[in-house]
Amino acid sequence: RLVHPFILRRLKTDKDIIDDLPDKVEQKVYCNLTQEQASLYQAVVDDVQQQIEETEGIQRKGLILATLMKLKQICNHPAQFLQDGSEFDESRSHKLSRISEMVAEALQDNDSLLIFTQFTDIGTQLETLFRETHACPVYYLHGGTSRKHREQMIENFQSLDTPAGVFILSL
């Protein structure tokens, strides 16, 4: 309720929205954890269960939020959680493997795609991976992107003269 007045949301039914927006297509794809991810996930859950019993109030809420962030990182890729400089490899994350497949499928159909992430470190890793594995333009917009560079990337991505590509956006 606190952020509700500040959330901006536009619907296709709004008169100010472009009439030719395509219908939204939503498809849920479930990816199992790899053995490495499952082990890390279980270790974090076991650790937090013990800590939760020893905390209360605002500290408990903070612990839960921090744990949720850790679990999200593990689900993305173990290297993100471990922060050990280990290999950002598809064999370590079925989620990464699936997004790589989706990129290949879209590019094969000559379609561009947008990928959103809340984590800048994953955005950087995805940019590097896709530049190495796909012969297509790859753009990465994050909070540190200059206005001029941002506008140039958007213009290039939307240009009909530019081949299909991948645009990664960090929220």
Side-chain angles (χ1 to χ4, degrees):
R1 284 184 116 10
L2 180 63
V3 296
H4 181 69
F6 303 104
I7 294 176
L8 298 177
R9 181 174 174 201
R10 294 185 279 173
L11 303 173
K12 284 175 43 175
T13 55
D14 292 348
K15 292 177 180 151
D16 297 334
I17 302 299
I18 300 170
D19 293 334
D20 62 349
L21 281 175
D23 289 333
K24 177 180 176 182
V25 177
E26 188 172 325
Q27 179 183 17
K28 292 182 182 183
V29 178
Y30 297 95
C31 300
N32 294 325
L33 299 176
T34 63
Q35 186 62 45
E36 179 184 16
Q37 287 173 300
S39 296
L40 290 169
Y41 197 100
Q42 190 61 55
V44 168
V45 169
D46 292 345
D47 183 52
V48 79
Q49 282 179 330
Q50 183 180 4
Q51 290 181 46
I52 283 178
E53 293 174 12
E54 300 166 3
T55 59
E56 46 187 59
I58 192 76
Q59 290 176 326
R60 185 178 180 141
K61 289 179 183 179
L63 176 63
I64 291 170
L65 289 175
T67 301
L68 288 173
M69 186 65 68
K70 290 176 186 178
L71 296 176
K72 282 177 155 181
Q73 291 173 333
I74 291 168
C75 290
N76 280 341
H77 197 282
Q80 182 185 16
F81 171 73
L82 295 171
Q83 295 291 307
D84 61 357
S86 60
E87 192 171 1
F88 189 70
D89 183 81
E90 292 178 25
S91 67
R92 298 177 68 197
S93 168
H94 294 147
K95 185 176 179 181
L96 178 59
S97 177
R98 180 60 188 128
I99 199 164
S100 294
E101 290 171 3
M102 292 170 72
V103 168
E105 291 165 6
L107 294 173
Q108 185 176 358
D109 291 341
N110 204 33
D111 289 331
S112 293
L113 62 153
L114 299 172
I115 298 173
F116 294 91
T117 179
Q118 76 179 94
F119 300 105
T120 56
D121 52 342
I122 285 291
T124 302
Q125 297 272 19
L126 290 172
E127 178 187 26
T128 301
L129 177 68
F130 296 149
R131 283 187 192 280
E132 292 172 355
T133 57
H134 300 288
C136 72
V138 179
Y139 309 95
Y140 176 38
L141 183 114
H142 52 81
T145 306
S146 71
R147 180 178 180 175
K148 182 179 178 182
H149 187 58
R150 179 182 69 227
E151 290 172 357
Q152 184 63 51
M153 286 190 298
I154 292 169
E155 185 179 318
N156 290 345
F157 183 75
Q158 292 180 332
S159 172
L160 297 175
D161 297 331
T162 305
V166 179
F167 205 132
I168 303 163
L169 300 106
S170 176
L171 309 173

